[in-house]
Amino acid sequence: MVKLLICIILILNLNLIKSNELKFKISENEYTITMERLNNGNNNFPLLDSFKLQANNPSDESAWLYNYNVAYCPFVPAEIIKQYNPTNTNLIIGAAVRVQNLTTNNPTNIYSVGASSIVFTFGVCENQDINNCKFNATNLSDPDYLITGPQSSDFQYIGAEDPRIVMVNQTIYMYYTAVNMNGTNTRAQLALATCDTSLVLTIQDFKQCWELHGPIIEESIFWSKSAGLLYREDQETQYLFYGDTDIFIATTKDLINYSTLFNNQSSSSSSSSSSSSSSSSSSSSSSNSQRETLITTRDPSNYFDSVLVESGPEPLQLSDGNWLYLYNSAQQVSTPNQKPNWDIQYNLGFVILNGTNQQFNSNSILYRSPTPLFSPTLEWELCDDSSSFWSTHGLTPLVVFIEGWLPLGNDQFLVLYQGCDSVIGTSLITVKIN
């Protein structure tokens, strides 16, 4: 009887690792949303890392110690497509990855990290099989694959982090965090880089195409990062959801200039001005106004997103016309781990946004997940004291974090995620609407 009980518990635990499921109802529609880890069918190992835990697998041989904050890139240069998908039978997944090494003055402390850069890479899924994808880690150290980094501009001389990417027509828009110093204080600013891919054929073309537009949020806002763009082709005004405390709202008409919405403004009036003009003409008023929020933290006694909420990738539209928007979040925990004073766990939440809305605000939320869709479970997602290896190889314990996904059709989405600010994995979100 005891052995049978142990077997049942093990099976239940295995199912928890395999898939999370939430069911809910909006109007007359019943939704079931599941998120299942893929990782090429082997959850013992991440899909891209630097730790050489697998024999003859170039995906775990990155020259960078930490490889994380991965965004899906919808564009891959023709040179790579020709080499790795000549018969059009494979799926090629482009990705922008944040890479980071330890500082040279303290190379034995795994938490003493240097500046971050954002580098392009790609994965090859043989025969379109999303559970058989091999990511190229060796090119992460190739200068031709660098998108941007601390050497690219003075406004990010401490580092470039946290990319999210959308592609509109032939132009890539990459929202990322530019980090610098303001006096003795570290400052993060949401920045934009674009690439017109119309003439890009080779990886060298890709490297040269990037244009840095600098910070895009008002100068009066000291700290801004992490953005997902809700883009509608038939609308003039587009919505950008950004932030890593609460999630705020900005609007744009040209995808270059952005204006944050404040509670004393309407979206129509604020979207008509650019971030550069608004920062100079209304810095004093905006600094004293409250930014309009899409999502805020919730009660710690009842919810998983009580410490912070942070934008995930761009919202994607479901078959019923509504938008699925993923967000990262954190809660306070007491899980033993090696990182000094670290008592935060990151989980994934989501909201369903009303697809009939012309303007978006907190009233656009039709449903918000009451429990996490995804939480750290595997050893390389936890990096806590339960693992002798990962407890000393994870930059930030107790983290799963999502910045990139791609639609597969039929309300399924391939998700790129990171564990412990160190390694990369894949998962599958499936939404069923009845």
Side-chain angles (χ1 to χ4, degrees):
M1 182 66 182
V2 173
K3 288 183 179 180
L4 177 61
L5 181 60
I6 292 173
C7 289
I8 292 173
I9 292 172
L10 287 174
I11 291 171
L12 288 174
N13 285 338
L14 180 60
N15 287 334
L16 286 174
I17 290 175
K18 183 179 180 183
S19 178
N20 289 343
E21 180 180 273
L22 288 172
K23 295 184 177 183
F24 54 95
K25 190 172 184 179
I26 299 175
S27 297
E28 299 304 316
N29 288 339
E30 295 182 354
Y31 289 69
T32 301
I33 181 168
T34 59
M35 188 163 182
E36 178 182 357
R37 288 168 176 83
L38 296 176
N39 302 318
N40 288 351
N42 186 353
N43 283 321
N44 292 323
F45 302 108
L47 218 58
L48 190 153
D49 65 272
S50 65
F51 299 116
K52 301 179 177 63
L53 298 175
Q54 306 171 67
N56 301 317
N57 185 353
S59 295
D60 69 352
E61 296 179 1
S62 172
W64 296 90
L65 180 61
Y66 299 125
N67 306 262
Y68 61 115
N69 289 149
V70 55
Y72 168 61
C73 183
F75 177 82
V76 177
E79 176 184 41
I80 294 173
I81 298 292
K82 183 178 180 180
Q83 180 178 354
Y84 291 93
N85 195 21
T87 60
N88 201 32
T89 57
N90 299 327
L91 173 66
I92 309 297
I93 300 173
V97 181
R98 176 183 177 182
V99 292
Q100 199 169 23
N101 279 327
L102 300 179
T103 56
T104 55
N105 60 352
N106 197 359
T108 60
N109 182 352
I110 67 169
Y111 310 117
S112 179
V113 291
S116 296
S117 295
I118 299 172
V119 181
F120 176 77
T121 191
F122 60 93
V124 179
C125 306
E126 295 184 4
N127 298 315
Q128 309 280 327
D129 182 1
I130 59 173
N131 217 359
N132 184 21
C133 301
K134 294 181 175 60
F135 279 81
N136 191 324
T138 56
N139 64 22
L140 292 170
S141 59
D142 186 335
D144 285 341
Y145 285 76
L146 175 71
I147 296 177
T148 190
Q151 72 281 6
S152 301
S153 178
D154 289 342
F155 62 75
Q156 58 191 43
Y157 70 90
I158 302 299
E161 308 173 352
D162 298 350
R164 281 102 165 140
I165 287 176
V166 295
M167 190 167 182
V168 178
N169 299 322
Q170 292 183 297
T171 300
I172 299 171
Y173 295 84
M174 184 178 77
Y175 304 94
Y176 70 101
T177 304
V179 185
N180 55 37
M181 296 296 294
N182 184 282
T184 58
N185 297 316
T186 301
R187 184 178 191 184
Q189 292 178 283
L190 183 62
L192 174 67
T194 61
C195 168
D196 179 356
T197 65
S198 58
L199 298 177
V200 173
L201 296 175
T202 68
I203 192 63
Q204 288 79 16
D205 295 337
F206 196 43
K207 177 181 174 61
Q208 296 299 322
C209 79
W210 290 97
E211 179 182 356
L212 303 185
H213 297 271
I216 58 174
I217 299 301
E218 291 84 350
E219 176 65 26
S220 60
I221 298 173
F222 184 82
W223 187 275
S224 61
K225 62 182 302 186
S226 306
L229 179 74
L230 192 155
Y231 179 78
R232 299 164 298 168
E233 187 176 1
D234 61 343
Q235 297 295 317
E236 181 182 22
T237 299
Q238 311 301 337
Y239 281 77
L240 187 74
F241 306 137
Y242 76 91
D244 68 336
T245 50
D246 295 322
I247 296 178
F248 306 102
I249 306 171
T251 58
T252 179
K253 290 186 176 180
D254 60 6
L255 299 181
I256 300 297
N257 299 293
Y258 296 78
S259 293
T260 295
L261 297 188
F262 295 89
N263 285 335
N264 59 352
Q265 293 178 307
S266 67
S267 61
S268 58
S269 63
S270 64
S271 63
S272 62
S273 62
S274 70
S275 61
S276 58
S277 62
S278 62
S279 63
S280 60
S281 63
S282 61
S283 61
S284 59
S285 62
S286 62
S287 62
N288 293 323
S289 301
Q290 181 128 10
R291 284 178 283 176
E292 189 169 340
T293 55
L294 180 73
I295 303 173
T296 60
T297 56
R298 294 187 285 192
D299 181 359
S301 63
N302 295 314
Y303 293 102
F304 63 93
D305 45 12
S306 55
V307 172
L308 62 85
V309 289
E310 182 170 352
S311 180
E314 76 281 12
L316 292 177
Q317 201 160 26
L318 297 170
S319 58
D320 66 351
N322 292 325
W323 298 85
L324 176 59
Y325 178 43
L326 307 178
Y327 68 91
N328 301 289
S329 68
Q331 65 183 138
Q332 197 161 22
V333 295
S334 57
T335 308
N337 64 85
Q338 294 298 303
K339 189 164 188 173
N341 304 313
W342 185 254
D343 59 356
I344 300 297
Q345 175 177 301
Y346 276 77
N347 310 286
L348 181 69
F350 69 90
V351 295
I352 303 293
L353 300 174
N354 193 331
T356 66
N357 283 184
Q358 299 298 307
Q359 300 178 357
F360 288 88
N361 53 42
S362 58
N363 294 325
S364 303
I365 297 175
L366 299 175
Y367 181 83
R368 182 174 177 180
S369 55
T371 56
L373 181 61
F374 204 52
S375 294
T377 304
L378 306 177
E379 287 188 350
W380 50 270
E381 300 166 352
L382 291 165
C383 300
D384 61 5
D385 287 354
S386 65
S387 170
S388 58
F389 179 83
W390 289 107
S391 64
T392 58
H393 289 80
L395 176 58
T396 310
L398 312 174
V399 172
V400 288
F401 202 88
I402 286 80
E403 297 182 23
W405 61 340
L406 61 148
L408 301 174
N410 300 315
D411 290 332
Q412 285 195 310
F413 307 90
L414 178 63
V415 177
L416 308 177
Y417 76 96
Q418 58 106 335
C420 296
D421 284 355
S422 304
V423 299
I424 292 171
T426 56
S427 60
L428 179 68
I429 288 178
T430 301
V431 182
K432 295 181 179 180
I433 306 173
N434 298 314

